[in-house]
Amino acid sequence: MATYQVDGTTRSQPGPDDWQPILVTEDPAEATRVVHETEGTFWRRLLEDGQIVLPRV
């Protein structure tokens, strides 16, 4: 089963070290919902099994 991770950053032009994990889950619906929220972050991204699938949302 795949593992999904949502990361967020408050920077408008984030570098590789500017991303902080928000959620790690095996539920793709939960990960999709969280990656599209905006509270407390400028950008969010979605990773599946360590690979970026949505770089900036």
Side-chain angles (χ1 to χ4, degrees), residues 5-9 17-23 41 45:
Q5 179 174 327
V6 177
D7 294 341
T9 183
D17 296 329
D18 294 328
W19 297 93
Q20 301 298 318
I22 296 173
L23 172 75
T41 59
R45 68 180 181 186

Side-chain angles (χ1 to χ4, degrees), residues 20-43:
Q20 301 298 318
I22 296 173
L23 172 75
V24 176
T25 183
E26 291 182 349
D27 182 353
E30 181 181 17
T32 301
R33 179 185 56 80
V34 171
V35 80
H36 285 94
E37 293 175 355
T38 59
E39 186 175 332
T41 59
F42 191 92
W43 290 110

